[in-house]
Amino acid sequence: MPVKLLRAAGVRGWYLHVGSLGSVCLCIALWIRAKTVDQEERGNAERRALFVGLWPPMFWLIGDSVERAERS
């Protein structure tokens, strides 16, 4: 059902794959930024980078599901 809604909204699988790669880059950028802030804010910045680091597999798998639905 959610895959059908994504397809109806015009979302293609490769959009989500690009989003997955983009979130990897965002995670790396946030992690590098976390190393430049002072010690008091570093923990929060590192948690933010780890949180964003959880997104790539989700976007990639949703993109695979959408592509599979496109083929069938």
Side-chain angles (χ1 to χ4, degrees):
M1 180 75 173
V3 174
K4 290 181 183 180
L5 291 174
L6 286 172
R7 287 186 59 216
V11 176
R12 300 293 173 239
W14 69 271
Y15 296 169
L16 292 162
H17 289 155
V18 170
S20 176
L21 296 174
S23 62
V24 168
C25 294
L26 178 61
C27 175
I28 292 170
L30 288 172
W31 182 74
I32 291 171
R33 183 187 170 277
K35 299 301 176 191
T36 63
V37 297
D38 63 349
Q39 193 65 29
E40 292 177 2
E41 298 176 15
R42 184 169 293 169
N44 191 32
E46 287 177 349
R47 283 189 293 275
R48 187 177 303 122
L50 288 172
F51 175 70
V52 172
L54 296 173
W55 297 352
M58 176 192 64
F59 286 141
W60 195 270
L61 291 173
I62 293 172
D64 283 347
S65 298
V66 171
E67 281 186 354
R68 199 173 314 124
E70 288 172 356
R71 281 186 250 141
S72 61

